[in-house]
Structures are given as structure tokens and as C-alpha cells.
Amino acid sequence: MDSYEYGELLKSLSTKIDNIKQIVDPDSIKKKLKEIEQEEQKEEFWSDAKKAGAVQKEKNRLQAILKRYEDAKTALEDAKELFEMANEEGDNDTIEELFNDAKNLEDLVTKVEIAVMLSDENDSKNAIVTIHPGAGGTESQDWASMLYRMYLRWAERMGFKVEELDYQAGDEAGIKDVSFIIKGENAYGYMKAENGIHRLVRISPFDSNAKRHTSFTSVMVSPEVDDDIDIEIEDKDIRVDTYRASGAGGQHVNKTDSAIRITHIPTGLVVQCQNDRSQHKNRASAMKMLKSRLYELELEKQKAEKDGIPKSEIGWGHQIRSYVLQPYQQVKDNRSNKAYSNVSAILDGDITKVIEDVLISMS
């Protein structure tokens, strides 16, 4: 890096900070925090524990956003001032230190940018994820299992917890279907970028002729609904089927029809759960999944109406990313329009940068 490149980086980061300021609106946040502090002084405020807890959560969220913004803004202003002084005094050692710290400064501003992208009311929620292979039999089912492993490894990297809701193994390899909850701060905010069709191109390990195959798998992501979100589901609108949960066999095989499949007739949405031996618990989990899906669908409709998108284009039917393993190695995202060559690392769960590039491109 030279002085010209560093100067251009400072200009670029200054533009980002200005844009972030427009979104964050620090003056409004400070005003809101002052109002909350005044509310906290009133005796009756703490008598309603549920309301007080919600206000405290909002206060913490606002304080965190404000601190991130102010820390990044201060760090950038300090770097600009130091760079100007070092240039005037010909202090090459300080200039070299600034060059070496450029990546950290850029990362700091990017983290604030991402925090702002994840400020929607649903972003902080847990994510309910379903992976379903497309046509193509064993090949697609194997691709579905690769994606499942990728998300499990990513959740582990992020310090998130994963709870499996439903798992149906493929006949020969891979999976026919899997549903799970990723639990952690901003789990849905990150995972919503994975909603859509994922395409894989590779030499099939299941083809004796070693031909190149293209496989498709859908990933559906919904925010886990809170109890305070009221979603009415009438009995006449659902069909509930019970079936025997699949297992590895032997003494642990399930001998009762404890697995639950719920079909929402008006939308055609189907959810299923076989994680627990209790039919009642499986039904409760399946209903939570259905409510989350319906909530996500409603959010998509509202967004589509706001953006003027035809209803026919709403849903999880869009190809969002291609993973090419043959004849070259590359992951290309259709939203950010960025390509990545570290394919093995990405399939091993190193997808945070990919997701963040999508979030920034869609802001």
C-alpha cells in the first residue's frame, strides 16, 4: 500500500461512515436513550416486568449501535488526522504503522455497516432453516447434506447453537429433508441471506462415467416467531398427518407414530417434525415452524408490495448462489455479484464474508 491508496481508502471509509450516520441517526438514538432513562426513574416502570424487560432490551440494542458507530467514527478521524500530520512532518514510521493498521480500520467500519444492516426487528431472532434437495435423486440429496454440514460448521464458528427438528436420510446418501433452528444473536439476520436456491456443479462421485453434474437445493429461512406475535391458524386450514419417525433401527427405532407432518392448505406449506419421541412436542415444534413460515411469507408479501414486485415472484424460488467445483473452483453469489476462490473453506462453513457482502449489496 502507498500513500495514494491509503488516502483513497480513507475517502471511501469516510463516505461509508457518512452513509451509516444517515441510517443510524445518532442524535435520535441519544434522544431515545434519554427518554428511556427518564422512564426508568418512575416507580411504576418496574412494576410491569415484561414491559421493562422489552425496554431494557431495546436500550441495550441502541447503546450497542451507538457505541459501534462512535468507535468507528473516532478511529477513522484519528487515522485521518495522524496521516495528515505524518505527511507534513515526513514521519515515515507513523505512515507505515497506519498502512499496517489499514485492514483493521476497514474491518471496524465494515462491522458497523453490518450492524446497521442487522437492525431490523426480526434480525436478532433465531433462524428456522429447512434444506430440501431438488430433482436429481442421490446427487441432489448429497448436495443437501453438504449444505447442512456447511451451516452446522458456520454456526459452530459463530458460537451459535443448533437444534435439529426433522431429519430424513437419503436412500443411498445425503438427506431428503432437514429442518433445524440456529440459536444466537442475529442468527436470522445472517441466515436470511441464504434463503433461495443453491446450485452445485461438480464431477459426480456417484457417476461411474465421471461426468459433470449440476444439482439444485432449496434453503428456506424464517425468523423463529415470538409468543407475542399473533398468527391465527384455523383448524380447517391445516391437515395433520402422523407417521413413524425414521431411525437407525435396532433397539432405538421408534415404535409409535410420533412424527408429525402439517400441511397448510391455503398456502401449500408443509412442515414436519420427528425430533422428539413425544407426538405432542413434535406437534408444538411443527406448529412453531409453520407460524414462522407464514410470518416470513407475510413479510415477503409486504416487501414485494412495497417494492412493486409481482406476486408470482414471491417465495423461495430464486437461484442465489453457484458453487462450481469442476472444471474450475469458484463460488459466485448472484446478489452481491462477487466471486470467491476459497471454495473448500466456504463449504467448511467459512461463509460470514459471503453473507456480509450480500447484506451490504442489498442495503
Side-chain angles (χ1 to χ4, degrees), residues 28-305:
S28 290
I29 288 182
K30 287 173 185 174
K31 184 182 175 185
K32 180 67 176 173
L33 288 171
K34 198 168 184 179
E35 288 171 1
I36 290 173
E37 284 168 14
Q38 288 171 350
E39 281 292 310
E40 288 173 336
Q41 302 302 319
K42 299 175 183 177
E43 286 184 29
E44 65 269 20
F45 174 79
W46 301 102
S47 60
D48 187 341
K50 189 175 180 182
K51 184 182 176 183
V55 172
Q56 289 292 300
K57 189 176 178 181
E58 176 66 3
K59 179 184 175 182
N60 292 337
R61 187 184 72 83
L62 291 172
Q63 285 176 332
I65 291 174
L66 187 62
K67 186 178 187 305
R68 278 185 179 137
Y69 164 74
E70 289 181 338
D71 287 351
K73 182 172 175 282
T74 301
L76 180 58
E77 287 173 350
D78 289 350
K80 285 160 75 174
E81 193 176 320
L82 206 55
F83 184 54
E84 195 175 316
M85 287 171 56
N87 271 324
E88 287 174 0
E89 297 169 10
D91 185 351
N92 292 327
D93 288 342
T94 298
I95 290 172
E96 192 61 36
E97 280 181 32
L98 288 169
F99 289 173
N100 291 337
D101 196 51
K103 182 71 170 66
N104 291 332
L105 182 62
E106 191 173 7
D107 286 347
L108 187 63
V109 174
T110 300
K111 278 186 169 58
V112 182
E113 203 174 13
I114 298 303
V116 172
M117 299 306 114
L118 298 178
S119 58
D120 184 84
E121 62 175 320
N122 292 306
D123 288 338
S124 62
K125 291 183 169 67
N126 298 330
I128 294 182
V129 186
T130 296
I131 301 173
H132 189 74
T138 303
E139 184 65 37
S140 292
Q141 290 172 12
D142 188 55
W143 172 220
S145 70
M146 289 167 67
L147 282 174
Y148 182 39
R149 180 184 179 277
M150 181 179 83
Y151 293 132
L152 291 180
R153 297 283 289 124
W154 173 76
E156 188 182 323
R157 288 168 185 259
M158 297 290 285
F160 293 162
K161 292 182 179 178
V162 176
E163 179 188 331
E164 192 176 280
L165 295 172
D166 186 63
Y167 185 95
Q168 296 179 53
D171 296 325
E172 294 179 43
I175 52 179
K176 287 181 179 176
D177 206 77
V178 65
S179 295
F180 53 100
I181 302 178
I182 298 180
K183 299 181 175 183
E185 186 184 357
N186 290 328
Y188 175 70
Y190 276 98
M191 278 301 296
K192 67 184 180 185
E194 298 303 291
N195 212 6
I197 305 295
H198 296 248
R199 171 178 173 260
L200 174 71
V201 180
R202 66 170 175 175
I203 299 292
S204 171
F206 307 102
D207 186 342
S208 58
N209 296 317
K211 288 184 177 178
R212 201 162 66 218
H213 284 248
T214 301
S215 306
F216 297 91
T217 286
S218 73
V219 176
M220 293 176 278
V221 185
S222 311
E224 184 182 22
V225 292
D226 296 330
D227 293 333
D228 56 354
I229 294 176
D230 190 26
I231 297 171
E232 288 292 328
I233 300 176
E234 296 186 34
D235 289 343
K236 67 179 178 62
D237 287 338
I238 60 173
R239 186 178 73 245
V240 181
D241 299 308
T242 58
Y243 59 99
R244 192 156 298 182
S246 58
Q251 61 179 329
H252 300 295
V253 72
N254 208 326
K255 295 179 173 63
T256 60
D257 292 347
S258 61
I260 293 286
R261 181 185 297 109
I262 301 176
T263 304
H264 187 249
I265 298 163
T267 61
L269 286 173
V270 179
V271 295
Q272 50 199 36
C273 184
Q274 59 170 335
N275 187 50
D276 204 278
R277 293 195 175 203
S278 162
Q279 188 183 107
H280 296 294
K281 287 183 180 178
N282 284 336
R283 182 180 174 122
S285 294
M287 284 300 289
K288 176 170 271 194
M289 288 168 68
L290 180 57
K291 285 184 177 181
S292 296
R293 291 276 182 81
L294 290 171
Y295 181 55
E296 169 72 7
L297 204 59
E298 184 57 35
L299 292 176
E300 286 285 320
K301 282 181 182 175
Q302 290 174 8
K303 186 177 184 301
E305 285 169 10

